[in-house]
Amino acid sequence: MKDFRNRVAAITGAGSGMGRALAVQLAQAGCHVAMCDRDEAGLAQTLADVRRVAPDVRATIACVDVADRAAVHAWADAVARDHGRVNLIFNNAGVALSSTVEGMGYDDLEWILGINFWGVVHGTKAFLPYLKASGEGHVVNTSSVFGLFAQPGMGAYNASKYAVRGFTESLRQELDLMQCGVSATTVHPGGIKTNIARSSRVSPSVNGLLVRDAQQGREEFEKFFITSADKAARVILAGVRANKRRVLIGPDAYAADAMARLLPAAYQSLVVREARRKRKQLVPDAAAAPARTGDAA
């Protein structure tokens, strides 16, 4: 899809971050936008931003939990009805969970998979028939740099993002075989300046093992946010225009991709070594006391 003008794009997680940036930049390109999020105040601000930069573009919002299959399908039907067609779906909504596998509660695991993976599945399946009917469509699913390599304390997040990667790569191959006018792209952002750290869940199981406490863990997480949401959105849209199978965002994503390619198994030892080094800095008494794993809150 070379031109977004007069196309219709649906965006999940549009209340802030990359979702908001995508909505604004698509609207500036003349694309009509349908936006959803659970954050009603955030959605209202995104809508105001869209109308300010592109008053002639049709923009709609809906409060939707992407983990709710029926709600996502109902939203897709409403978008097609209100806008007449749908050309793009950006399955962008996501959350984070920091926990050891042992300390992870099943409720936390179901929560993150429900949004990060099932939300992508719901959005893809709900909108795909409409994209095919439009004659020209694109599915854009957000994975992560952690869909390229794993690290300790992020097992559930890694699982959700690896799943998005495999799901979307398989989808892209099927669409290529069908030659139906629809394509798909997997997005792998590195650290993007969004609200994900503040809304993340941190299990006590990582205290003393990887971080000192939940607050310090979130602060460390945010230090890796080196790319703006606006820049990330520009890279994503350029990738869609070029019909790329995979879009990497940020130097950290490129570094992680290179490490996983060059050292597909050995990189894990390097990650453990670095985690131990940082643990000594962040948790001064870590060497003297055994790390506790605990139970998830």
Side-chain angles (χ1 to χ4, degrees):
M1 187 176 298
K2 302 294 185 182
D3 188 3
F4 297 124
R5 184 167 298 280
N6 290 324
R7 304 299 194 274
V8 177
I11 308 164
T12 72
S16 63
M18 288 200 311
R20 176 177 292 171
L22 283 166
V24 170
Q25 291 182 29
L26 282 164
Q28 288 175 318
C31 185
H32 307 288
V33 290
M35 303 162 286
C36 86
D37 202 301
R38 293 187 65 183
D39 179 1
E40 293 186 65
L43 270 179
Q45 182 60 57
T46 302
L47 180 61
D49 291 348
V50 165
R51 287 179 171 166
R52 185 180 67 253
V53 301
D56 296 330
V57 159
R58 180 167 176 74
T60 58
I61 58 174
C63 188
V64 178
D65 180 355
V66 297
D68 185 333
R69 183 193 308 171
V72 174
H73 277 265
W75 178 55
D77 294 342
V79 172
R81 182 182 65 247
D82 294 342
H83 289 266
R85 68 185 185 284
V86 190
N87 300 99
L88 302 112
I89 172 64
F90 292 84
N91 289 305
N92 165 76
V95 291
L97 168 66
S98 181
S99 174
T100 65
V101 171
E102 182 182 15
M104 188 188 305
Y106 279 104
D107 54 342
D108 283 335
L109 181 58
E110 290 169 355
W111 169 74
I112 194 169
L113 288 174
I115 296 169
N116 287 6
F117 176 61
W118 281 108
V120 168
V121 174
H122 296 157
T124 299
K125 289 185 65 63
F127 281 94
L128 189 54
Y130 293 116
L131 302 189
K132 292 176 73 174
S134 76
E136 184 183 25
H138 210 107
V139 179
V140 186
N141 290 339
T142 301
S143 177
S144 169
V145 64
F146 294 119
L148 300 170
F149 84 109
Q151 75 169 43
M154 299 294 282
Y157 190 74
N158 281 132
S160 68
K161 295 304 186 176
Y162 269 83
V164 169
R165 172 186 168 186
F167 176 78
T168 311
E169 289 181 0
S170 179
L171 171 66
R172 171 62 182 258
Q173 295 168 54
E174 293 169 3
L175 294 171
D176 286 348
L177 285 169
M178 292 176 189
Q179 295 183 309
C180 59
V182 180
S183 192
T185 296
T186 311
V187 178
H188 294 277
I192 309 299
K193 296 174 184 177
T194 69
N195 295 329
I196 192 169
R198 275 166 276 175
S199 62
S200 67
R201 294 184 182 182
V202 181
S203 163
S205 64
V206 298
N207 293 350
L209 178 67
L210 296 170
V211 297
R212 186 169 54 250
D213 53 41
Q215 180 57 35
Q216 183 265 324
R218 290 189 178 94
E219 291 171 357
E220 285 299 310
F221 191 22
E222 287 188 322
K223 288 180 181 178
F224 291 97
F225 295 0
I226 60 176
T227 303
S228 71
D230 286 340
K231 183 174 182 179
R234 288 196 298 272
V235 174
I236 293 170
L237 296 181
V240 173
R241 289 189 179 98
N243 197 27
K244 289 188 175 182
R245 297 177 184 274
R246 176 183 294 184
V247 171
L248 303 178
I249 303 176
D252 45 349
Y254 279 94
D257 183 52
M259 183 170 64
R261 290 172 186 269
L262 294 172
L263 304 168
Y267 85 82
Q268 296 179 45
S269 297
L270 298 178
V271 170
V272 170
R273 187 182 308 168
E274 177 63 13
R276 284 174 174 160
R277 185 189 68 80
K278 291 201 68 174
R279 178 183 161 201
K280 289 180 181 179
Q281 294 177 342
L282 300 173
V283 190
D285 59 345
R292 68 184 182 88
T293 53
D295 292 326

